[in-house]
Amino acid sequence: MRVHDVKEILIDKHAIAERVDQLVDAVADGCGADHLIVVGILKGSFMFLADLMRSFHRHDVHPRIDFLTLSSYGSGTTSSGEVEIIHDIREDIIGANVLLVDDILDTGRTLASTKKLLIERGAESVCTCVLLDKKAHRAVEFEADHVGFPIDDHFVVGYGLDYDNFYRELPHIAKVTFHD
Ligand code: IMP
Ligand code: MG
């Protein structure tokens, strides 16, 4: 890892909590509450997804949950361009309304290819929700249905997001500042 620090907070935990509730209001309205399966992309989405699930409680919506482990980054801060399934979902998604959740939308490859795969497998609908949207490096045309916060071109960590699998435990989103 390059010499760096994660002192600068970009989005604090209160702002995240408030936005998560708003996102769930929008998702419960727009993504089909019946036969809903929430699919989280690991590892980055685990904290966001846990908070989304808790917030569904207010709407009396009872989604099932599953996880997909993907890898598009080696170690470092640039996407390798290849999206590999390391661990697949177990739920039968034929006819289901799927809410696909990721931590951040960057090049768009992860969500574009995963959404396509779930539709090919017979999902009735696939709605996408990301905490962060970083438009600067989009490589494929893709927009998420629900976005927590658009961000500028920074590498960020915390609330599930990592740098080399570190900092996922931070309760906020912090900017990684590199020192040369
Ligand atoms: P995409 O396929 O390029 O859209 O990549 C999405 C994945 O890249 C996310 O699930 C993250 O794991 C990772 N990623 C993209 N930007 C960042 C960042 O700023 N911090 C940490 N992970 C990131
Ligand atoms: Mg990730």
Side-chain angles (χ1 to χ4, degrees):
M1 277 198 285
R2 290 163 60 196
V3 181
H4 66 279
D5 74 69
V6 296
K7 288 186 202 126
E8 189 181 338
I9 296 179
L10 201 61
I11 307 170
D12 70 27
K13 63 179 185 178
H14 305 290
I16 294 174
E18 198 177 312
R19 192 72 188 112
V20 163
D21 282 347
Q22 292 168 351
L23 284 173
V24 167
D25 293 345
V27 165
D29 252 10
C31 294
D34 288 338
H35 203 22
L36 183 65
I37 302 185
V38 178
V39 174
I41 299 179
L42 292 177
K43 305 174 194 157
S45 74
F46 77 95
M47 209 179 274
F48 180 39
L49 189 129
D51 284 343
L52 289 172
M53 289 300 281
R54 268 186 284 256
S55 192
F56 271 116
H57 177 67
R58 295 176 299 118
H59 289 274
D60 204 23
V61 174
H62 305 286
R64 285 179 286 160
I65 188 167
D66 210 339
F67 294 97
L68 195 59
T69 308
L70 298 180
S71 165
S72 66
Y73 277 38
S75 60
T77 60
T78 48
S79 168
S80 66
E82 302 274 315
V83 179
E84 190 193 349
I85 297 184
I86 294 171
H87 184 272
D88 211 337
I89 53 171
R90 305 286 298 274
E91 289 286 328
D92 178 5
I93 56 156
I94 294 176
N97 292 309
V98 176
L99 174 65
L100 186 57
V101 177
D102 205 0
D103 51 358
I104 184 166
L105 179 54
D106 185 22
T107 66
R109 289 192 189 98
T110 304
L111 277 183
S113 65
T114 311
K115 179 174 178 175
K116 183 166 167 276
L117 178 76
L118 297 177
I119 288 171
E120 282 167 4
R121 288 181 180 176
E124 170 73 23
S125 68
V126 177
C127 218
T128 52
C129 179
V130 292
L131 180 72
L132 305 174
D133 183 2
K134 189 159 69 172
K135 289 194 194 293
H137 301 286
R138 207 66 110 245
V140 297
E141 229 173 274
F142 191 87
E143 296 306 326
D145 299 302
H146 301 280
V147 171
F149 303 91
I151 62 164
D152 292 335
D153 185 13
H154 310 297
F155 196 79
V156 293
V157 292
Y159 198 66
L161 290 103
D162 72 303
Y163 175 35
D164 247 358
N165 210 11
F166 285 99
Y167 307 121
R168 296 190 193 272
E169 77 286 358
L170 300 177
H172 51 257
I173 298 292
K175 216 162 129 173
V176 181
T177 305
F178 294 101
H179 307 281
D180 295 314

